[in-house]
Amino acid sequence: MDTLYKRPLRAPFRAGPVTSGDQLLLRGLALLSALLLVVTILFPLYSMLAKSFHDASGLFIGLENFQRYFSEASLYRAVSNSFVIAGMATLISLLLAFLYGYGLTRTCMPFKPLFRVVSLIPLLAPSLLPAISLVYFFGNQGVAKELLMGHSIYGPIGIVLGLVIWVFPSALMILMTSLSMTDARLYEAASVLKAGPIRTFFTVTLPGVKYGLISAAFVVFTLTLTDFGVAKVIGGQYNVLATDLFKQVIGQQNFQMGAVVGLMLLLPAILAFFVDRYARRKQVAITGARAVPYSPKPHALRDRFFLLYCSLIGCLLIAMLGMAAYASFVTFWPYDQTLSLKNYQFDMMDGGGWAAFYNSLQMALLTAVFGTLFIFLTAYVSERCHGWRPVLNLIGGLTLLPMAVPGMVLGLAYIFFFNAPDNPLNGFYGGMTIMVISTIVHYYTVSHLTAVTAIKQMDPEIEAVGASLKVPQYRTFCRVSLPLCLPAVLDISTYLFSTAMTTISAVIFLYSPDTFLASIAMLHMEGAGDIAPSAAMAMVIVLTSTSVRLLHWLLTRRLSARLQRWKGA
Amino acid sequence: MSQAHSLDLFSDQLSEGPAVDGGAAQMHRTPSPPYLQVFDLVKKYGTFSALDGVSLAIAAGEFISFLGPSGCGKTTLLRAIAGLDFQTSGSLYQDGADISWLPPDQRDFGIVFQSYALFPNLTVAENIAYGLENQGTKKHQIAERVAGLLNNVGLPGAEKRFPGQLSGGQQQRVALARALAPSPNLLLLDEPLSALDARVRVHLRREIKALQHRLGITTIMVTHDQEEAMTMADRIVVMNQGRIEQIGTPREIYENPVSVFVAQFVGTINLLPFTPCGPDTVEVAGLKFRCPHSGRHKGTGGVLAIRPEDIECTDVHDHDANCIDVRVESSEFLGATMRLKLVQGPDLALIADVPIRALRGSDIRPGQAMRVRLDAERIRLFDEAGNC
Ligand SMILES: Nc1ncnc2c1ncn2[C@@H]1O[C@H](COP(=O)(O)OP(=O)(O)OP(=O)(O)O)[C@@H](O)[C@H]1O
Ligand SMILES: [Mg+2]
């Protein structure tokens, strides 16, 4: 045998691994992705940070801007106002959403799918919509003004109510995930141990969703802290950080102070982001992979209570949408209640007219197409590229960062970065491109995580098999990986499209007269006192988002039929 | 029983022809260099060595099995041979060429993964044709080849179905056909049968072996199932903690294990601590046993090893012939043999497999006394470290 262990002489000597063409391509793409992410995320945020330490003439002044901010009561009052509002809205929405989610996951009440769909209503339109509806219900000429017993809806009450409605679906989704992840065996154990319903709730149910609650609380807190639309419409004289930021930057052109306010928004958001990540990891850890899903048993009293409760919330959400829809057709509220399409003649009003809607449509399409392409490819590359750890880690960090950056902060950072006269990318400023990029970046993380989850679910050896059969990886990607991930790709593009249709926060700083968007038109018309047209524009947006979601639903249904065929009967 | 059965099978094949006549022997005969050579392969994950200096040579047409407990580095070694994960150091030669650092798409092999990794969205035919399409093969030729391969793996007419519509065993065959489609010269199988239930597994074992024999393709199969390795492989590479413990034909491995680890891992064996005493004699639990191969262990203790089937019932009363009186503690009926747990005093316990024929007419009951003989020729001694 020993004679065999001689090295063959004709073999050439090689020092190290030869990188395959496939890996070279992946690495090239990884580098490109990392580069683009650095330019569109890291550089802008850095510009903003830098701005806050400089004065208007570009001189470094250290913390002077911050000192000035905190020495002016009118300015820093916005901080406490914002935190109070966000705290209240978070508490209320969490409570409402928890009960709603409990009804959907832990009871046997009827019409669950319907309630699920209804809960999504607030996602179909910009956050202005709940605020506009509130004005029609409780405003100076509102139909149910008396219910407020003399209090004004314009101010903290209105902001909190509007925010609660707007963030309700977001809170619900997180809570439902953790409510449905709890292990059924824990309940069996509790009932074997003869624990009563109250005791079971406090010893099993609450601990099981603890991290879901934490996660939802911080996500919702960030959303409510940084939202602009609601406070703008219904905030009255009540100053919050988001409106303040808008005033500093657009009203007074005080960019340095804007950067300071931006940081005030960014810091809590980053903190919340880390708490959320921590909670999510814990949630996964406590449920584990082998949890037995809980399936509720009928219980007449409980089921009836939750049916009643969910119906109430559902009706309120429908009423919110219905009121705005109705108002959008009323010729002249409250004097001429005849129904007409007068409010839909956007071209007769301030705010960009129908062109704004077409711009929105165009932006949403571009965002969906390019966003999905870039996000999915980047996710694929970061999962399948071997070696080059630093580049992949950079991508990993930068794809998570956008979740921690509030939209307004992102928009502001984009002004500072792209509008700098010495930036070669300066040409993008004020155009459609920058709005598309900002929207993709703004909603990057959720899309990225969706893509990564789908890619991780595929057999990791698929590419290895392709390589062993000498098929280039891009072909295996197109023929196998991509078709297998198609549901996720559809999810991502729909998500990007509908958020692009409704977003305000980032683009509010980036639009130009040529690139008015529907959501921004809403803001303008509302600001000019044309509330009904604003509601009408909201309806157009709602109709578009609904159609896209319906299309998505149909496509997904066809896809899952095909998936079923792959899996066999 | 299954052990004996598999050895029978093996000897059947021995009589069939020279091709399976043990790879090692064949290589001594043929002057041509081995088909695949591995030199001092090391794979490190941080400070942990998954492969710790592995060297071996495989002849063309051989069926080799990597056998070892979970985590011993079998998959790592296979993936290094495929180029799917590069080794930290060491080199690989295939057909005389240095392939140490070539990416998988520049190597010549077909692979079947434990999960099969069939493309779920492609039909069986499209799966098998996947590696043929980019070679510029004509459509009707591809169709013919696919049909031929499906015939070969025993799935004729399955072209139009999707992998999800097939049973585990059928999927396995498709994966095999797909790996074989581009006619590679080396076939790598990573635990190809572990996801199947026992019945299908035994059936597929024979089929894969027969197919390999028919095609004459050099094959490496990873497994942690010793029975699988025994029945299928020409030679077995027993691995432990990133190292090769022993390379040999199934029979060599079974009959002449070089370490306690191999002896224990392949088949059942009695392990008894001994102290040496006198020439060719060792002492176990106060009893003296003769073993002609004890010479090397003078002065130190170690472990005496004997297979259960090398302990036989006897009437002879001869202590020099390793006969001892024992009591039956329990018995297990295995069909062709009876597995007896025997004790002698508090310190000595033995397992013996006695052919049913030798027990005809006698009734085995717990507590019963009997006399057995340990075959001196079959006793092996290992030093304290567990080596020969
Ligand atoms: N990517 C990795 N990082 C760190 N350690 C690894 C990695 N891959 C494998 N290992 C370690 O290397 C050792 C050998 O792994 P390998 O997969 O080769 O085992 P195996 O013999 O195939 O086992 P099994 O029978 O369970 O498949 C194991 O201890 C494993 O934990
Ligand atoms: Mg393995």
Side-chain angles (χ1 to χ4, degrees):
Chain A
M1 278 282 286
D2 284 348
T3 54
L4 295 175
Y5 290 94
K6 266 192 224 131
R7 282 162 201 266
L9 283 175
R10 65 186 160 108
F13 176 76
R14 276 196 197 81
V18 177
T19 314
S20 66
D22 292 337
Q23 279 298 317
L24 280 179
L25 184 63
L26 284 180
R27 286 178 188 186
L29 286 173
L31 204 61
L32 188 69
S33 290
L35 201 73
L36 286 173
L37 289 173
V38 165
V39 171
T40 55
I41 299 175
L42 217 51
F43 284 179
L45 285 178
Y46 173 76
S47 309
M48 188 182 78
L49 197 65
K51 202 70 146 193
S52 67
F53 295 108
H54 290 80
D55 70 3
S57 60
L59 210 69
F60 183 80
I61 50 167
L63 292 173
E64 211 170 285
N65 287 329
F66 292 85
Q67 271 165 4
R68 238 187 53 223
Y69 182 80
F70 284 105
S71 60
E72 276 183 48
S74 64
L75 283 177
Y76 75 74
R77 171 140 333 118
V79 178
S80 57
N81 281 352
S82 284
F83 275 76
V84 169
I85 293 281
M88 297 271 292
T90 304
L91 270 181
I92 298 173
S93 63
L94 234 51
L95 184 70
L96 295 179
F98 181 82
L99 287 174
Y100 200 90
Y102 194 91
L104 282 177
T105 52
R106 297 292 180 82
T107 72
C108 292
M109 65 174 192
F111 311 123
K112 280 191 201 168
L114 179 69
F115 284 122
R116 205 174 277 231
V117 172
V118 167
S119 74
L120 296 177
I121 287 177
L123 288 181
L124 297 173
S127 57
L128 279 72
L129 179 64
I132 289 173
S133 281
L134 284 175
V135 169
Y136 277 110
F137 274 111
F138 306 110
N140 292 334
Q141 284 150 348
V143 291
K145 201 176 152 199
E146 297 73 27
L147 284 180
L148 284 183
M149 292 180 295
H151 295 285
S152 169
I153 193 75
Y154 298 100
I157 300 179
I159 305 180
V160 170
L161 277 179
L163 286 174
V164 165
I165 299 172
W166 181 58
V167 297
F168 182 77
S170 311
L172 181 66
M173 276 190 276
I174 299 173
L175 289 176
M176 269 179 60
T177 311
S178 78
L179 272 168
S180 55
M181 274 206 296
T182 304
D183 196 338
R185 285 172 301 192
L186 292 176
Y187 286 90
E188 284 161 14
S191 82
V192 168
L193 294 171
K194 308 241 177 327
I198 309 250
R199 184 137 173 252
T200 307
F201 181 82
F202 282 103
T203 53
V204 179
T205 309
L206 266 192
V209 297
K210 183 171 73 184
Y211 294 109
L213 275 170
I214 295 176
S215 179
F218 280 88
V219 168
V220 168
F221 186 81
T222 314
L223 281 175
T224 51
L225 184 72
T226 60
D227 176 68
F228 173 69
V230 175
K232 178 76 176 48
V233 169
I234 213 169
Q237 297 305 311
Y238 197 75
N239 242 2
V240 291
L241 279 170
T243 47
D244 214 34
L245 178 61
F246 188 69
K247 270 184 229 155
Q248 292 292 340
V249 174
I250 302 296
Q252 303 172 12
Q253 298 280 312
N254 187 346
F255 293 115
Q256 287 68 36
M257 207 41 80
V260 171
V261 182
L263 281 178
M264 291 295 120
L265 281 176
L266 182 60
L267 294 182
I270 286 186
L271 181 76
F273 167 78
F274 281 110
V275 177
D276 174 43
R277 299 251 327 145
Y278 166 81
R280 275 172 207 251
R281 220 171 302 141
K282 283 283 188 181
Q283 173 79 57
V284 174
I286 59 167
T287 31
R290 279 187 295 154
V292 176
Y294 178 80
S295 61
K297 293 177 191 63
H299 181 295
L301 190 65
R302 181 201 61 194
D303 293 351
R304 241 175 270 156
F305 168 78
F306 279 100
L307 179 62
L308 199 70
Y309 171 77
C310 291
S311 307
L312 184 73
I313 298 282
C315 286
L316 285 179
L317 291 177
I318 292 173
M320 187 273 296
L321 182 69
M323 178 51 103
Y326 174 69
S328 76
F329 290 113
V330 168
T331 310
F332 191 53
W333 188 280
Y335 307 108
D336 182 357
Q337 295 275 356
T338 53
L339 301 185
S340 75
L341 284 176
K342 181 184 141 268
N343 295 320
Y344 285 81
Q345 292 165 345
F346 301 127
D347 288 336
M348 315 291 276
M349 335 215 175
D350 211 15
W354 277 99
F357 173 69
Y358 299 130
N359 277 341
S360 263
L361 218 51
Q362 191 193 354
M363 189 194 82
L365 269 176
L366 289 173
T367 304
V369 170
F370 288 103
T372 309
L373 195 75
F374 182 79
I375 291 169
F376 189 78
L377 262 183
T378 302
Y380 180 81
V381 166
S382 64
E383 284 297 307
R384 289 292 185 263
C385 187
H386 304 307
W388 273 28
R389 279 282 126 210
V391 176
L392 298 185
N393 289 341
L394 183 67
I395 292 180
L398 290 181
T399 50
L400 283 183
L401 189 56
M403 199 172 206
V405 180
M408 284 191 92
V409 176
L410 188 70
L412 190 64
Y414 270 40
I415 302 187
F416 294 151
F417 180 64
F418 287 99
N419 200 24
D422 52 352
N423 187 336
L425 300 172
N426 186 288
F428 287 147
Y429 191 73
M432 187 57 100
T433 316
I434 197 166
M435 292 205 290
V436 171
I437 293 176
S438 77
T439 310
I440 295 174
V441 168
H442 187 184
Y443 297 104
Y444 201 104
T445 309
V446 172
S447 315
H448 176 76
L449 294 179
T450 309
V452 166
T453 308
I455 293 165
K456 277 198 200 293
Q457 273 169 359
M458 279 191 301
D459 193 320
E461 315 290 15
I462 280 181
E463 281 81 8
V465 167
S468 81
L469 295 170
K470 319 281 178 281
V471 178
Q473 192 163 354
Y474 67 84
R475 273 202 64 183
T476 306
F477 174 78
C478 294
R479 275 201 68 187
V480 184
S481 315
L482 193 57
L484 289 182
C485 289
L486 214 50
V489 169
L490 275 183
D491 287 350
I492 295 171
S493 48
T494 308
Y495 170 76
L496 286 176
F497 186 94
S498 27
T499 49
M501 274 315 285
T502 58
T503 189
I504 300 181
S505 49
V507 289
I508 187 85
F509 290 127
L510 302 173
Y511 74 92
S512 71
D514 296 334
T515 53
F516 249 87
L517 298 177
S519 53
I520 291 174
M522 271 181 76
L523 206 65
H524 269 264
M525 293 191 281
E526 195 276 336
D530 292 331
I531 305 188
S534 184
M537 187 60 99
M539 288 310 117
V540 177
I541 296 177
V542 167
L543 208 65
T544 316
S545 310
T546 313
S547 318
V548 167
R549 276 172 198 266
L550 218 61
L551 189 70
H552 171 251
W553 181 72
L554 285 173
L555 282 176
T556 310
R557 248 182 46 151
R558 283 199 46 192
L559 257 186
S560 71
R562 225 166 78 191
L563 277 172
Q564 284 310 310
R565 194 159 63 101
W566 293 345
K567 285 183 191 139
Chain B
M1 173 216 125
S2 53
Q3 203 59 70
H5 179 67
S6 57
L7 282 175
D8 283 346
L9 253 186
F10 185 72
S11 48
D12 278 354
Q13 289 169 343
L14 268 181
S15 56
E16 258 172 41
V20 271
D21 186 9
Q26 196 179 11
M27 279 191 292
H28 281 303
R29 243 180 279 134
T30 50
S32 66
Y35 180 70
L36 187 78
Q37 279 172 286
V38 178
F39 293 108
D40 203 21
L41 218 58
V42 174
K43 172 75 185 182
K44 287 196 190 268
Y45 291 110
T47 53
F48 172 77
S49 297
L51 291 179
D52 194 7
V54 168
S55 298
L56 79 146
I58 299 171
E62 244 189 323
F63 194 130
I64 291 283
S65 175
F66 294 167
L67 177 66
S70 187
C72 70
K74 307 177 296 281
T75 301
T76 309
L77 179 55
L78 194 79
R79 289 179 71 90
I81 290 173
L84 294 169
D85 292 320
F86 284 120
Q87 64 277 17
T88 310
S89 67
S91 45
L92 291 155
Y93 293 84
Q94 184 175 2
D95 207 8
D98 184 353
I99 57 160
S100 312
W101 302 108
L102 289 184
D105 56 333
Q106 292 175 35
R107 299 189 187 193
D108 173 18
F109 70 96
I111 189 164
V112 175
F113 289 101
Q114 188 171 358
S115 62
Y116 313 144
L118 290 173
F119 307 134
N121 58 326
L122 304 184
T123 61
V124 166
E126 287 167 332
N127 262 286
I128 298 175
Y130 199 79
L132 300 171
E133 281 163 4
N134 69 322
Q135 291 183 339
T137 319
K138 294 219 169 54
K139 261 212 157 85
H140 68 274
Q141 284 174 323
I142 290 181
E144 269 170 37
R145 176 110 178 100
V146 168
L149 280 161
L150 277 176
N151 247 335
N152 239 331
V153 297
L155 270 182
E159 281 94 339
K160 293 256 146 44
R161 300 167 75 181
F162 284 98
Q165 300 168 323
L166 304 175
S167 71
Q170 291 171 324
Q171 291 183 18
Q172 165 71 62
R173 292 158 202 247
V174 176
L176 196 60
R178 180 180 64 181
L180 291 171
S183 312
N185 287 305
L186 177 64
L187 180 63
L188 306 177
L189 311 167
D190 190 0
E191 310 228 7
L193 304 175
S194 64
L196 304 172
D197 62 55
R199 224 163 234 292
V200 184
R201 210 183 306 179
V202 172
H203 183 66
L204 264 177
R205 253 187 227 164
R206 298 210 187 108
E207 280 193 18
I208 292 180
K209 178 68 197 163
L211 184 68
Q212 188 268 342
H213 193 75
R214 217 160 46 234
L215 301 175
I217 182 172
T218 313
T219 302
I220 300 175
M221 179 183 75
V222 163
T223 180
H224 58 240
D225 180 343
Q226 46 131 337
E227 204 176 301
E228 207 166 284
M230 292 285 221
T231 50
M232 295 172 77
D234 297 331
R235 283 196 301 151
I236 297 175
V237 177
V238 184
M239 297 180 63
N240 184 26
Q241 296 188 345
R243 294 177 159 280
I244 294 182
E245 288 272 333
Q246 187 171 7
I247 306 179
T249 64
R251 203 159 169 178
E252 281 166 10
I253 300 266
Y254 188 80
E255 293 186 341
N256 295 313
V258 298
S259 65
V260 170
F261 173 82
V262 177
Q264 249 180 329
F265 195 75
V266 179
T268 311
I269 199 156
N270 292 294
L271 295 170
L272 311 165
F274 73 84
T275 45
C277 70
D280 292 351
T281 313
V282 295
E283 193 182 302
V284 175
L287 296 170
K288 293 206 165 46
F289 290 100
R290 220 173 44 74
C291 43
H293 314 295
S294 71
R296 271 183 288 167
H297 292 284
K298 278 244 163 60
T300 59
V303 182
L304 177 152
I306 183 160
R307 298 256 179 222
E309 65 269 27
D310 295 325
I311 301 175
E312 54 186 2
C313 298
T314 180
D315 300 325
V316 185
H317 194 75
D318 179 2
H319 280 297
D320 280 347
N322 293 347
C323 293
I324 54 173
D325 292 316
V326 291
R327 230 165 17 79
V328 176
E329 193 175 85
S330 61
S331 65
E332 221 177 292
F333 179 65
L334 297 179
T337 57
M338 183 77 95
R339 174 157 293 181
L340 303 177
K341 187 162 180 221
L342 309 170
V343 289
Q344 212 278 348
D347 296 330
L348 184 64
L350 287 171
I351 288 173
D353 284 349
V354 185
I356 288 295
R357 237 166 354 133
L359 294 172
R360 291 263 152 82
S362 64
D363 196 14
I364 301 289
R365 276 207 206 88
Q368 185 179 331
M370 63 189 296
R371 180 168 302 138
V372 293
R373 191 174 73 88
L374 279 60
D375 186 343
E377 287 300 318
R378 307 291 312 136
I379 290 178
R380 290 183 67 85
L381 298 178
F382 298 101
D383 62 21
E384 263 155 352
N387 299 314
C388 253

